[in-house]
Amino acid sequence: MTGPIAQEMRQLLQQAFAPSALDISNDSASHRGHIGDDGTDESHFTVTIASAAFTGKSRLERQRMVNRALGDIPGQRVHALAIRAIAPGE
Amino acid sequence: MSETNARIQSIVETHDVVLFMKGTPLFPQCGFSSRAVAILEHLGVDFQSVDVLQDMEIRSGIKSFSDWPTIPQLYVKGEFIGGSDIMTEMFEDGELEQLMAEKQVARAD
């Protein structure tokens, strides 16, 4: 089942990057009881996103772009967000 | 520049390699910080760790200083490199080792 934060992230990322592929996987269950587990079951995610917007951008720039698009979600509403941002052809 | 920014600036300028993390290298308090420490130890570089859990000013200040929302954060010679995803990817590609060599950072004893 997709939680509200995952849905919000999907919407924000689709708007910002028109991705050719987007996968948001919720890893919270494997971190239950760790620091950062806030009991919402939406504390740890991995986002894999493919978009032409990342072409020619460094790793750092890509992560900054994704973090910016997600506003206050990374680090505040979600403890851990792993990001794999890929450009077409990679 | 705020006092906290000045403190952070001085930390990243004083040490070749700085890891802002949760906990200490011996007792990391988060899996991502733990992974970052493991990478730096594997590379054999001398690094300064800063436990953000012990310093609320730095904990919130580092996020705006780096324009990066999460911990850990790695600095090499005053330059922000990234968080644990970027460290892991660069390490796996051999780029992190290359960067440390290029920047001529101090080795761990």
Side-chain angles (χ1 to χ4, degrees):
Chain A
M1 213 184 82
T2 311
I5 294 183
Q7 278 180 31
E8 192 180 335
M9 288 199 291
R10 176 169 295 279
Q11 207 170 14
L12 289 168
L13 292 171
Q14 266 163 354
Q15 279 168 9
F17 302 111
S20 53
L22 174 60
D23 180 68
I24 299 176
S25 77
N26 186 340
D27 316 320
S28 306
S30 55
H31 297 277
R32 197 154 288 147
H34 294 186
I35 282 196
D37 171 17
D38 52 9
T40 61
D41 286 329
E42 289 202 286
S43 60
H44 292 68
F45 288 95
T46 300
V47 168
T48 307
I49 180 167
S51 166
F54 301 127
T55 304
K57 307 282 188 192
S58 71
R59 287 194 176 97
L60 197 61
E61 287 169 324
R62 292 177 189 196
Q63 289 226 354
R64 278 201 208 283
M65 289 163 72
V66 172
N67 282 329
R68 279 210 190 96
L70 293 174
D72 67 345
I73 293 177
Q76 288 189 49
R77 291 164 58 203
V78 165
H79 167 72
L81 185 65
I83 298 167
R84 285 187 58 231
I86 358 181
E90 292 181 353
Chain B
M1 188 185 270
S2 78
E3 196 184 316
T4 308
N5 274 5
R7 270 180 69 206
I8 294 172
Q9 186 72 43
S10 137
I11 294 170
V12 302
E13 280 172 0
T14 309
H15 307 277
D16 279 5
V17 182
V18 182
L19 183 69
F20 294 88
M21 63 177 289
K22 292 181 176 171
T24 64
L26 212 48
F27 296 105
Q29 297 296 314
C30 164
F32 301 93
S33 288
S34 172
R35 187 163 69 186
V37 167
I39 288 173
L40 294 178
E41 287 181 343
H42 187 89
L43 292 175
V45 296
D46 184 30
F47 66 98
Q48 174 72 33
S49 68
V50 177
D51 181 359
V52 302
L53 298 177
Q54 299 300 320
D55 194 320
M56 288 315 291
E57 275 178 18
I58 288 191
R59 186 179 186 176
S60 58
I62 190 66
K63 294 182 180 182
S64 59
F65 184 87
S66 311
D67 184 23
W68 198 256
T70 50
I71 309 287
Q73 296 187 11
L74 177 69
Y75 276 82
V76 176
K77 296 261 174 160
E79 183 195 347
F80 177 58
I81 305 301
S84 75
D85 291 340
I86 288 178
M87 283 182 72
T88 304
E89 284 178 21
M90 288 182 76
F91 175 62
E92 286 169 355
D93 294 349
E95 283 173 43
L96 202 54
E97 192 164 18
Q98 202 183 331
L99 176 85
M100 299 293 183
E102 276 167 14
K103 300 261 186 181
Q104 300 182 317
V105 306
R107 308 286 304 172
D109 294 327

